[in-house]
Each structure stands twice: as structure tokens, then as C-alpha cells.
Amino acid sequence: MTDNQQAITGDQREQAKLIWDYHQMRHDMRPVDAAIGLGSHDLGVAAFAAELYVAGLFPVLVFTGGNSPTTAARFPRGEAVHFREHALELGVPDSAILLEPNAGNTGQNITFSREVLASAGVTPTTVLLISKPYMQRRSFATARKLWPEVEAICASEPLEFDDYLKSIGDDRLVIDMLVGDLQRVIEYSKLGFAIAQDVPEEVHAAYGSLLAAGFTSRLLKP
């Protein structure tokens, strides 16, 4: 057991699970006009996008994302470039993939992907946003603000919380990221970056408890 795992109590794990569940939209999957694979550290986004393409859910897929401090070492040529290469390995044809290699945040992911689709002659009415599991709500709220005329459906790898913890191998880092994404869900609507989302009282309480316990490394900079 690592030091990080030893530092996390059962109560903290339960609080994190509440936030994990809140972040996921649980939308029903159905065919859409286009999909957008949102760049991140999680290559599972590309793998799940490939799986859904092969299943026939959409005809065109945009991978979006440049580099960030948390992904530059893993994806030195940019998130979207590496995601595209992984999807090609998994059977998605090159003709079905559009590349958006510049976005540095979720708002740019949505805005730049929209522009890439338009340049390719694609004007969707339904879009599937494929993200890491705890980014679903934030990507949904952002798309509803910046692209309101499109119906946004969210998807991510169907992993349970404990399975995701094991896949990352660093419980404290995952909880830090869950807390950081929830802060963005709360704060970005106030800044005009996303539509507001109702946060249940028990989720707010879990958030406050984890903040007080020091799970703060992924919070917005003051």
C-alpha cells in the first residue's frame, strides 16, 4: 500500500464517491451527428471513442486538446494527436477523424471543435461529448453555454469508482481531481463559462469536508 492510499480514510473515500457519482450525467447512448473526444491525461477517452465509433454511434469524431502541465510528459505531441493515433490503432479510419490540436481548456475544446466541424462541412444538431468519467458534468455545462443550439450527450468509459482508482494508481490524486472539477462546475457558471448546475447538499458537504482535509492540489489558482 502506498503512502497516498494509507492517507485516505474510509469516510474520505465515501465522500469522493458521492462527488464521482455527481459528476456523471448518465445519459442514454444513441446515434448522434458527431462526437468530440475531450483531451486529458486519460487515454481511455480515445479507446472508448473508438469503441463507440465501431458500434456505429457517429460518422465523424473530433479529438481536441493541446498540451497542459499534467499531460505534456505523457503526450508530448499533444493530447489530440496521441488520442487520434490510439483510435487509429483500434480501427477507426483516418477519414472519420478530425484533429483539433490547440485547445487548452474545456471552453476551447468545445469552441475549436465546433469550428473544425464547420470547416469540414459538418453542422451537427446532436453531439456526443466523450471525456474522462468525472469531467462529464463540466463538459455538459460548458457545451450548453457555448453551443446551446446543439443537444449535448455525455459519455465516458463505464468504470466504477474503485476500478478507476485502480486504473490511475494514486487515490489522493484522483480525489484531488474530483474536488477540482467540482470547484469548476460551481465557479465557472459565475464566470460565464458554463451554465449553472444544481449541487445537492450532500455533495456540497462532501466537497467541503475534502477541502478541509487538504485535497486541494487541483483547485483553480487564486
Side-chain angles (χ1 to χ4, degrees):
M1 183 175 286
T2 68
D3 291 340
N4 280 343
Q5 289 170 324
Q6 289 173 347
I8 292 166
T9 68
D11 283 347
Q12 289 166 350
R13 185 177 287 255
E14 288 304 309
Q15 291 157 358
K17 175 67 162 53
L18 274 175
I19 296 174
W20 167 271
D21 289 342
Y22 172 72
H23 279 311
Q24 298 192 47
M25 302 298 294
R26 292 176 176 77
H27 288 159
D28 291 331
M29 293 296 96
R30 59 180 175 80
V32 294
D33 297 327
I36 298 173
L38 299 166
S40 71
H41 64 85
D42 188 349
L43 199 58
V45 173
F48 194 53
E51 181 180 327
L52 295 179
Y53 174 83
V54 171
L57 264 69
F58 44 82
V60 61
L61 168 63
V62 182
F63 283 122
T64 170
N67 270 134
S68 74
T70 58
T71 63
R74 185 174 189 191
F75 302 134
R77 285 170 288 115
E79 297 156 2
V81 171
H82 287 266
F83 278 25
R84 171 185 170 275
E85 291 171 352
H86 193 52
L88 291 172
E89 293 169 357
L90 295 173
V92 181
D94 184 57
S95 59
I97 300 176
L98 300 174
L99 196 64
E100 189 297 292
N102 300 312
N105 57 53
T106 309
Q108 291 179 355
N109 286 143
I110 301 299
T111 300
F112 295 173
S113 294
R114 179 182 185 174
E115 293 168 357
V116 165
L117 285 164
S119 294
V122 181
T123 306
T125 60
T126 54
V127 168
L128 185 64
L129 303 175
I130 306 170
S131 69
K132 54 195 177 188
Y134 58 86
M135 194 180 166
Q136 282 193 26
R137 188 171 293 275
R138 178 156 64 94
S139 61
F140 173 78
T142 304
R144 292 296 300 132
K145 179 70 176 184
L146 299 179
W147 206 358
E149 65 272 27
V150 167
E151 181 184 3
I153 301 170
C154 296
S156 56
E157 275 192 296
L159 291 173
E160 297 298 329
F161 180 53
D162 285 344
D163 293 330
Y164 191 79
L165 288 176
K166 291 174 186 173
S167 75
I168 299 299
D170 186 334
D171 293 359
R172 178 166 287 276
L173 174 62
V174 171
I175 297 177
D176 279 346
M177 292 190 292
L178 292 173
V179 169
D181 252 59
L182 181 51
Q183 183 199 34
R184 287 160 175 78
V185 168
I186 295 167
E187 298 299 329
Y188 279 1
S189 64
K190 302 173 187 176
L191 297 170
F193 299 158
I195 65 167
Q197 297 286 286
D198 179 57
V199 182
E201 185 177 335
E202 65 271 20
V203 175
H204 253 304
Y207 173 64
S209 180
L210 291 171
L211 284 176
F215 291 91
T216 58
S217 75
R218 296 307 170 104
L219 295 181
L220 295 166
K221 303 296 184 190

